[in-house]
Amino acid sequence: MPSTTDGSAILSPTRIRLALLALALGGFGIGATEFVAMGLLPNLAQDLLPGLYASAPDAANAQIGWLISAYALGVVVGAPTIAAAAARWPRKQLLLALLAAFTLATIASALLPTFGLVLVARFVAALPHGAYFGIASLVAADLMGPGKRARGVALVLSGLTISNVVGVPVITWIGQVYGWRVAYLVVAAVFAVTFLAVILLVPFQAGDPLATMRNELKAFGRLQVWFALGIGAIGFGGLFAVYTYVAPLTIEVTGLGAGAVPLVLVVIGLGMTVGNLLGGHLADKSVRRTLYGFFFVMIVALVGLALSAQFLPGLLIGVFLVGGAAAGLSPAIQTRLMDVSADSQSIAAALNHSALNIGNALGAFLGGLAIAGGLGYVAPVWIGAGLSVIGLVLAVVSFAIDRSRRRNGQHVPYGTDLIDIVRDAA
């Protein structure tokens, strides 16, 4: 573990652990703001779309799923834009600006009166998401030291996964009892506390003085960057096809009451916590084997869940394994992006969350189409299995290209290869 983060200040192990804890607390808040809507889907539909919910609750639940898609699309837009534009900023100051934006936009989500305005607020609240995780991952990797990048990423993401064990179920319960608007105000308070923690505990880290938006955007000229984004964007959709509609799946398919939804969310969160920590450890050993292994587990888990969701053990085991496999993929995809992005590290660290939230939007959208089409609440699970198969195929193809390049004697496989391919074809 390094003794400095800026070349001068010596940090004790305790100070490093506290700094990592502060960064993880931000992940806790992000997990809450992103996932709490999934457990409160019927509550949101009743309040924001009362007429539609009274006449067609399935259609209302599917439309409220747009709030989740809007958040995911906000991540997709905000992550590369903010990361590229602010790569020169001192990292601590950038984290504080992002946390302030989270706090204000989440308060707006809680207070705005109509579905359309809340939809816009959820999009705005998501803009800092990817940049926060990207910059926090770079800070954590620096604090952890060489050879422990994936574990540093996993520690930051542990806040998100622990949020799914504790924060999301508790805040979901608060939303069920006191209203979904109160739930979002609680989330805003978490962000405010994180803002103070980062001020007090995270050491100064300079931005990259050589970084420019043009250099950061060169990442999009690399074929393997696009493959890594596709692996996350499509493969991760398997989780969100299930997670978005976990409340109606629990109530309508398994036949449990609304009070069981927080329990199911705890089980998903436990799976995500275990999978994230295991994935970070394994990805430092082999990114390729980690991706293959967790995709296999995810596909099997989704098929098993689709076949057994009407039974309580099938539901709980299925969502635990789906959550665990998806969370195990995240640090591996993050590390893969950092590996293939060459000198565009800031945008690469953020792009992982753009990719995962494209998966979020894709899974929620396709699942909503299936439900609105009358296929039932198990249909999104089958859709998720198909998306995960495509993600695994993309991973296999990506690493096959690496092997082909090594056989051809290419020592540096990652450069502006997409531009080269287009130029050669022309």
Side-chain angles (χ1 to χ4, degrees), residues 4-60:
T4 66
T5 60
D6 62 3
S8 58
I10 298 175
L11 301 180
S12 68
T14 299
R15 175 67 187 281
I16 291 174
R17 285 192 291 269
L18 289 172
L20 292 170
L21 180 63
L23 296 173
L25 184 59
F28 184 95
I30 293 173
T33 199
E34 180 174 17
F35 296 125
V36 75
M38 298 169 184
L40 294 173
L41 212 65
N43 308 76
L44 286 156
Q46 285 178 307
D47 185 45
L48 294 174
L49 300 170
L52 182 60
Y53 189 84
S55 60
D58 285 0

Side-chain angles (χ1 to χ4, degrees), residues 159-198:
L160 186 150
T161 59
I162 292 171
S163 179
N164 281 277
V165 179
V166 180
V168 173
V170 170
I171 296 172
T172 297
W173 175 83
I174 291 172
Q176 290 174 339
V177 175
Y178 299 103
W180 67 268
R181 296 182 186 277
V182 175
Y184 275 110
L185 290 175
V186 173
V187 174
V190 173
F191 284 126
V193 171
T194 305
F195 182 91
L196 296 176
V198 170

Side-chain angles (χ1 to χ4, degrees), residues 349-370:
L351 279 173
N352 182 41
H353 300 281
S354 288
L356 300 187
N357 279 273
I358 291 174
N360 186 337
L362 184 63
F365 175 72
L366 294 178
L369 285 181

Side-chain angles (χ1 to χ4, degrees), residues 334-425:
Q334 176 89 75
T335 304
R336 177 67 174 168
L337 269 168
M338 293 168 74
D339 286 342
V340 301
S341 64
D343 56 351
S344 304
Q345 289 293 295
S346 293
I347 199 169
L351 279 173
N352 182 41
H353 300 281
S354 288
L356 300 187
N357 279 273
I358 291 174
N360 186 337
L362 184 63
F365 175 72
L366 294 178
L369 285 181
I371 293 168
L375 298 179
Y377 289 110
V378 175
V381 184
W382 287 112
I383 290 171
L387 292 173
S388 296
V389 169
I390 297 172
L392 175 58
V393 170
L394 289 173
V396 171
V397 172
S398 177
F399 286 104
I401 291 173
D402 278 359
R403 288 194 298 272
S404 175
R405 286 171 168 176
R406 284 194 292 269
R407 283 196 300 269
N408 292 333
Q410 294 187 25
H411 180 63
V412 181
Y414 311 121
T416 54
D417 48 5
L418 189 58
I419 296 172
D420 295 338
I421 289 170
V422 173
R423 184 176 59 245
D424 293 344

Side-chain angles (χ1 to χ4, degrees), residues 251-317:
I251 296 168
E252 302 295 336
V253 177
T254 313
L256 302 176
V261 173
L263 171 64
V264 177
L265 294 174
V266 168
V267 174
I268 296 176
L270 287 171
M272 293 178 74
T273 301
V274 173
N276 174 61
L277 296 176
L278 183 60
H281 177 76
L282 293 176
D284 277 329
K285 298 179 182 296
S286 172
V287 171
R288 178 179 61 85
R289 289 195 295 270
T290 301
L291 287 173
Y292 290 176
F294 279 111
F295 265 128
F296 177 79
V297 172
M298 191 167 180
I299 293 165
V300 171
L302 285 163
V303 172
L305 177 61
L307 296 174
S308 64
Q310 67 268 37
F311 306 110
L312 179 59
L315 175 70
L316 296 180
I317 294 171

